[in-house]
Amino acid sequence: MSVSQIPADPPPRYKRVLLKISGEALMGDREYGLDPGMVAQIAGDVAKVRALGVDVCLVVGGGNIFRGVSAASEGMERASADYMGMLATVINALALQSALENIGVDTRVQSAIPMSTVAEPYIRRRAARHMAKGRVVIFAAGTGNPFFTTDTAAALRASEMGCDVLLKGTKVDGVYDADPAKNPDATRYETLSYMRVLTDDLGVMDHAAISLARENAIPILVFSIYRPGAFAEVLSGEGRFTLVRTEE
Ligand code: UDP
């Protein structure tokens, strides 16, 4: 049975979703850069969700290549370092685009920093049109502004595109009350309020991203992108994840 024929059982709970993929996730087990196997795995998971009829857009980070804050701490001017970080996200976006198109998923990359020979510029209405046609839109270059993060870009684009949920794919399968890698007794929250995440500084996403999602009442679903198939599962309410929303 091909992927496009797999029935959704139970059906997805969301119609339009934004998946934030950190640069780190694309690195797999490597210390730096891109792991083609991991990129292909994530592309396969995105294809599976598309095949369920869910509209998908992506925001990709750049931490596997360059992080502005780290370079700034070593003496580089912060704004310049941040622009370099944003360019790193474009590299990742092109890698994801290629992996998706290899398996027949129609995509468009839109960059918040105009770069007309490699990607479309970000135009909200055009991105919405691509999504309506079933294309996966990959948003690159974050917000286009230094001093921001791709998490904030994800909350911004999810708001602009009218997404029902913002998914954050991480190494762990949700938000824990302690680091599960160090503490075997750490327990995972099923749900959390935006307020709790902010006041307890739970590190789901930066505060600007959480606040934006909260203002626009977009739930944030944190899950493990490392587990193949998890993206489709969590959209149907299955598997392990933490949901951040208005109420606890
Ligand atoms: N960045 C930025 N503005 C944005 C998004 C990203 O300046 O709107 C820069 C910032 O330097 C950041 C880098 O791009 O460190 C890579 O993005 P991020 O660290 O969010 O990627 P991730 O942690 O998701 O891999």
Side-chain angles (χ1 to χ4, degrees):
M1 189 185 266
S2 79
V3 166
S4 60
Q5 293 170 307
I6 293 172
D9 184 26
R13 292 177 172 179
Y14 307 97
K15 176 76 195 78
R16 176 170 286 198
V17 308
L18 186 145
L19 171 63
K20 158 73 206 293
I21 304 164
S22 67
E24 206 179 50
L26 299 177
M27 201 159 70
D29 292 330
R30 299 187 179 197
E31 303 258 298
Y32 176 84
L34 289 153
D35 173 358
M38 192 61 205
V39 178
Q41 180 188 308
I42 293 174
D45 278 0
V46 171
K48 220 182 249 176
V49 169
R50 259 311 298 142
L52 299 175
V54 177
D55 295 343
V56 183
C57 53
L58 309 172
V59 164
V60 63
N64 56 322
I65 300 171
F66 197 87
R67 223 181 261 287
V69 211
S70 322
S73 71
E74 287 166 25
M76 184 179 273
E77 187 199 3
R78 172 72 192 267
S80 298
D82 278 343
Y83 280 114
M84 291 172 72
M86 286 185 264
L87 296 181
T89 72
V90 180
I91 295 176
N92 287 334
L94 295 180
L96 267 173
Q97 175 175 46
S98 167
L100 282 163
E101 301 221 317
N102 272 343
I103 52 171
V105 180
D106 210 4
T107 66
R108 291 292 184 274
V109 174
Q110 289 204 344
S111 173
I113 296 176
M115 219 180 285
S116 59
T117 45
V118 291
E120 291 181 5
Y122 173 64
I123 299 171
R124 187 181 73 85
R125 296 178 70 106
R126 194 160 171 190
R129 181 96 187 106
H130 288 319
M131 289 186 76
K133 287 183 175 170
R135 295 173 184 144
V136 171
V137 182
I138 307 168
F139 296 113
T143 64
N145 303 293
F147 305 104
F148 285 88
T149 64
T150 50
D151 278 356
T152 302
L156 176 63
R157 296 291 183 244
S159 306
E160 291 184 278
M161 301 312 297
C163 293
D164 311 316
V165 67
L166 160 54
L167 293 105
K168 168 133 178 163
T170 67
K171 270 187 177 168
V172 279
D173 54 8
V175 186
Y176 283 76
D177 59 359
D179 184 351
K182 292 179 193 150
N183 186 344
D185 295 327
T187 50
R188 184 173 49 81
Y189 297 102
E190 291 288 329
T191 59
L192 275 169
S193 66
Y194 301 110
M195 230 23 211
R196 176 87 179 273
V197 171
L198 289 170
T199 50
D200 292 2
D201 206 8
L202 288 176
V204 174
M205 283 182 157
D206 58 77
H207 284 208
I210 304 283
S211 301
L212 201 51
R214 176 171 175 244
E215 266 168 42
N216 294 295
I218 301 173
I220 302 170
L221 192 157
V222 185
F223 74 107
S224 167
I225 189 95
Y226 282 75
R227 211 171 61 72
F231 182 25
E233 259 180 41
V234 296
L235 287 180
S236 302
E238 303 208 304
R240 295 150 69 92
F241 57 87
T242 297
L243 194 64
V244 182
R245 55 185 188 185
T246 307
E247 66 274 18
E248 279 274 292

